[in-house]
Amino acid sequence: MPGGRLTQEDRRQIAVWLADGIGYAEIGRRLGRPTSTISREVARNGVPGDYLAEHAQQAAGDRARRRKPARPPGLAAAGSDAVREFVEEFAVLLAATGLPRMTARVFGCLLTADATGLTAADLVGRLHVSPASVSKSIAYLEAMDLVVRRPAAGRRERYVIDDDVWLRAWQTDTSAHGDIATATRRGIEIFGADSTAGRRLGQMGQFFGRLSEHMSGSTLAEPVVYDALTVLAALMYAARPLTPAELAAALGWPPDRVTAALDAIDGQPAIADPFALQAIGATYALVPRLDRLSSAQREALTALAPLSS
């Protein structure tokens, strides 16, 4: 196969053509190989004054056995064409998700490496890129918690994708989504819920808040969730702001139980959806989430309210 290892038949042809006085370049052309492949083959496996096909085949086989243990069937070598092709194709798919192309290529290499990972020099050699490109990509992946560093021989480091990478990446994304949702609520307070910016931020906050909740799941113990829902019902029933002490007295709970419920609502606002817990001084009130309604919807509902006498 052109480009692959020389076969026994290739070596027999080389021996015949050399005996006929044909040069390395012409032999390479006939076999579809570079001239350097033929010259190295003769230099490595020839004997003084001659090139014997059988001797060359045996010598090549001995070297291959000494070089590395037999690879299990179906496993491709790290530098093989199949692996390189997979890494490049996978990098294209990752780049389509927003990952920089070079970073995607580095990640693909690390993803297909063995458990010991790769050094920066390994990545430079495999991808044929500059050390600066590898360093920048590693920094990007570390910021996303997709890669960890491990010490290697000397002062070098190896970069590894370990077994916890997907959990860390999931948690990082979840935290970022929650931060975005919180920031949009601050933006709504600044710009006003009825402004163009406020409406956009409201829609964005709703999306990322939902995404964060779905990704993280409820990490609260069930009793705390039930207590939070009870506190919400109490605030709705009272229809006025209440202090934690008033809530505790009305519900017949110890103060720390009410505090835990309020903290749960504050930590996971989706518990109160479509309402929001609002702190007013030392009291708490339940208010509708304005991002659930458009400006036109709020105006229409206000018009339905009975006129004061």
Side-chain angles (χ1 to χ4, degrees):
M1 176 180 177
R5 293 182 179 178
L6 292 171
T7 65
Q8 187 168 7
E9 180 59 29
D10 290 336
R11 292 188 169 96
R12 285 176 181 155
Q13 287 289 348
I14 291 172
V16 170
W17 289 328
L18 286 173
D20 292 340
I22 298 174
Y24 293 163
E26 176 60 19
I27 293 174
R29 187 188 66 77
R30 293 183 181 187
L31 291 178
R33 311 298 178 107
T35 303
S36 58
T37 298
I38 307 304
S39 62
R40 279 198 306 269
E41 169 65 19
V42 175
R44 255 186 211 168
N45 300 320
V47 294
D50 204 351
Y51 174 85
L52 301 176
E54 285 70 18
H55 170 80
Q57 183 70 19
Q58 182 177 354
D62 291 342
R63 274 199 310 275
R65 285 189 291 273
R66 287 196 304 270
R67 192 177 300 121
K68 61 179 70 175
R71 184 176 299 275
L75 294 184
S80 69
D81 292 340
V83 171
R84 283 193 293 268
E85 184 177 348
F86 172 80
V87 168
E88 293 301 326
E89 289 179 355
F90 198 67
V92 172
L93 296 176
L94 291 175
T97 70
L99 201 65
R101 178 63 185 277
M102 178 54 63
T103 304
R105 294 180 69 202
V106 170
F107 185 72
C109 272
L110 293 172
L111 191 66
T112 56
D114 60 25
T116 61
L118 298 171
T119 65
D122 293 333
L123 290 165
V124 168
R126 291 192 184 188
L127 296 172
H128 304 292
V129 296
S130 68
S133 296
V134 169
S135 178
K136 183 177 179 180
S137 295
I138 289 294
Y140 191 104
L141 292 170
E142 284 184 313
M144 298 175 68
D145 285 326
L146 291 175
V147 169
V148 295
R149 295 175 184 246
R150 289 181 181 166
R155 299 175 60 185
R156 295 187 304 171
E157 292 178 313
R158 301 189 75 85
Y159 304 107
V160 179
I161 296 179
D162 62 15
D163 293 339
D164 295 330
V165 61
W166 306 119
L167 176 60
R168 289 198 311 274
W170 182 279
Q171 291 171 337
T172 298
D173 276 351
T174 301
S175 176
H177 294 154
D179 291 342
I180 291 173
T182 300
T184 59
R185 289 195 290 272
R186 292 198 304 271
I188 292 171
E189 293 175 1
I190 294 171
F191 294 101
D194 292 335
S195 67
T196 300
R199 287 193 295 273
R200 288 174 182 160
L201 288 168
Q203 293 170 351
M204 184 178 182
Q206 182 178 341
F207 173 79
F208 280 100
R210 283 291 189 187
L211 190 60
S212 177
E213 290 297 330
H214 283 303
M215 289 180 69
S216 65
S218 177
T219 57
L220 302 172
E222 266 195 15
V224 178
V225 175
Y226 292 148
D227 283 355
L229 294 174
T230 302
V231 166
L232 293 171
L235 290 171
M236 176 64 75
Y237 187 84
R240 68 178 181 85
L242 298 174
T243 66
E246 289 173 328
L247 281 166
L251 297 173
W253 291 356
D256 59 346
R257 184 174 176 182
V258 172
T259 300
L262 292 170
D263 288 344
I265 301 168
D266 184 61
Q268 292 199 19
I271 294 176
D273 194 22
F275 300 97
L277 186 66
Q278 185 179 63
I280 307 173
T283 64
Y284 291 88
L286 201 59
V287 297
R289 283 183 55 172
L290 296 181
D291 60 325
R292 286 293 180 197
L293 301 169
S294 67
S295 176
Q297 288 171 333
R298 289 196 296 273
E299 290 176 3
L301 289 168
T302 300
L304 293 177
L307 297 175
S308 57
S309 55

